[in-house]
Amino acid sequence: MASSTKGTTQANPQAQQAPQTVKTEKKQGRTLVSILYVVLWAVLFTLKWCVPGDWGSLGFDVFFCVLAILGSYEFLRAMKGTSYIQRAVTIAFCGIVVVLFVLTKMLINQGYLTMICTLCVYEVILACISVFDHRNSPVKGMASCSLCMLYCGLLPTCLAAINHLAANSMAGMLCLFLVTVLTDTFAYVVGTLLKRFVPLKLAPQLSPNKTVIGAVGGLIGGIVGALVAFVGIYYLGGLNGDVMGVTYAYNSVYLTFSSEAISPVLAFALIGLVGSVLATIGDLFESAIKRECGIKDMSHLLGGHGGVLDRVDALLACGLVMLICFGTIIS
């Protein structure tokens, strides 16, 4: 009996230590993925800056195309009620729409028209599948596939559209990256430090760990990210290509800003604020999808970060703001 008790006593510390070890490994995995993510963006920014014309932007295009394909696979894997052929058609759309947009944008400047036409064609194909294979491919499955095409196909294409703007492309991409990263970072740090003082939950049914005070920190982070992007672009090429009275802009990297009603600094701060709001909504929308599907992560591809969509949900939503602002309002 004494020997048995001793063995049990020795086993308990190991059982108690195991969850802590798993938690530490998961945290280390998240840190590694975050570092690799930042390094990847740094490499893609370097290519975009150093290689003339649209050719330097192709690195980002490949990245967005991979996001669309992997994201659509994760999305359809999580959603139930879709047939094999519906999933195949949807993933094919998400894989080709970014490519077609980039090609037609570079060659004939008709990327947006191509994007809409491609979506319409694939929606008709899904409708035909639901008609002629209704038993295996119900309309509910078509609805899930349509949402997937919008979320995992068109939103990455919007990122590619920012990447190929005629003006302010680098500014838009840099602002997109910094706003999403600093929104997430500030929200985590501020929420961790102050949640015991302001424990009010932001969306307890979807994400119990997110707090209102953390969201406020995220808004501050988004504004800071946008202002850092402004300073960075001004340092690279200045405002309208003019720095200290001397026209200079390596590889046309500068901010084009023609509005006289608002200063560029204030404009960037507002973009950061709105972008941060959309990034937070994108994160919560992803949580809503997972809650609906009864899963914790979209996949385990990125270890502690979950799946691809778990990593880029804020990026996809924030991209809409950046495309509208840098594609129309700013320039």
Side-chain angles (χ1 to χ4, degrees):
M1 291 295 293
S3 175
S4 176
T5 304
K6 183 178 179 180
T8 305
T9 304
Q10 291 176 347
N12 285 337
Q14 295 179 356
Q16 293 174 358
Q17 187 178 5
Q20 184 64 31
T21 302
V22 172
K23 185 177 181 180
T24 301
E25 291 178 352
K26 186 175 181 179
K27 185 176 181 180
Q28 292 174 346
R30 288 177 62 89
T31 302
L32 178 60
V33 170
S34 298
I35 293 174
L36 293 177
Y37 182 74
V38 173
V39 170
L40 174 62
W41 275 79
V43 171
L44 296 177
F45 272 123
T46 302
L47 289 175
K48 183 175 177 63
W49 184 33
C50 295
V51 180
D54 282 331
W55 298 107
S57 301
L58 294 181
F60 272 117
D61 296 329
V62 173
F63 175 54
F64 297 146
C65 185
V66 171
L67 289 185
I69 295 172
L70 294 179
S72 62
Y73 172 78
E74 289 181 350
F75 187 97
L76 294 174
R77 178 174 171 269
M79 300 293 289
K80 307 299 181 182
T82 56
S83 67
Y84 173 79
I85 189 170
Q86 285 177 323
R87 293 194 296 270
V89 169
T90 303
I91 294 174
F93 167 81
C94 294
I96 199 173
V97 65
V98 175
V99 176
L100 291 179
F101 174 86
V102 172
L103 288 176
T104 53
K105 185 72 170 64
M106 292 177 62
L107 296 176
I108 58 176
N109 198 29
Q110 293 294 333
Y112 297 103
L113 179 61
T114 301
M115 178 177 66
I116 299 302
C117 290
T118 305
L119 176 64
C120 292
V121 168
Y122 273 83
E123 287 287 1
V124 170
I125 293 174
L126 284 177
C128 292
I129 293 173
S130 294
V131 169
F132 296 106
D133 187 32
H134 183 70
R135 175 176 296 180
N136 299 317
S137 305
V139 176
K140 289 183 178 180
M142 178 184 173
S144 298
C145 290
S146 297
L147 178 59
C148 181
M149 289 196 295
L150 293 174
Y151 186 53
C152 303
L154 292 195
L155 290 186
T157 307
C158 288
L159 301 183
I162 302 171
N163 190 37
H164 287 275
L165 288 173
N168 296 326
S169 175
M170 180 66 84
M173 292 299 294
L174 185 60
C175 194
L176 172 68
F177 172 73
L178 291 176
V179 167
T180 53
V181 169
L182 292 187
T183 294
D184 184 54
T185 302
F186 273 59
Y188 175 77
V189 173
V190 173
T192 301
L193 294 177
L194 301 179
K195 65 181 179 181
R196 58 180 175 179
F197 302 107
V198 187
L200 184 62
K201 301 294 185 180
L202 180 64
Q205 293 183 344
L206 298 179
S207 185
N209 293 327
K210 293 188 183 299
T211 59
V212 172
I213 192 65
V216 173
L219 295 179
I220 297 173
I223 295 173
V224 171
L227 293 178
V228 171
F230 171 77
V231 173
I233 289 298
Y234 187 85
Y235 177 78
L236 290 175
L239 184 62
N240 297 322
D242 185 75
V243 182
M244 301 299 289
V246 179
T247 301
Y248 165 78
Y250 182 76
N251 201 13
S252 299
V253 177
Y254 58 87
L255 178 65
T256 299
F257 191 87
S258 57
S259 175
E260 297 180 356
I262 187 174
S263 70
V265 175
L266 181 57
F268 267 73
L270 292 175
I271 291 173
L273 178 64
V274 178
S276 180
V277 171
L278 263 293
T280 303
I281 292 175
D283 192 358
L284 291 175
F285 178 70
E286 181 75 13
S287 298
I289 294 175
K290 291 185 288 187
R291 175 74 63 173
E292 191 75 19
C293 297
I295 58 176
K296 186 177 184 298
D297 296 315
M298 296 301 287
S299 75
H300 302 289
L301 181 63
L302 301 180
H305 272 286
V308 171
L309 290 180
D310 296 305
R311 173 71 261 186
V312 302
D313 46 11
L315 186 78
L316 295 176
C318 188
L320 288 173
V321 176
M322 300 303 164
L323 178 59
I324 293 172
C325 292
F326 287 95
T328 58
I329 299 174
I330 292 295
S331 58

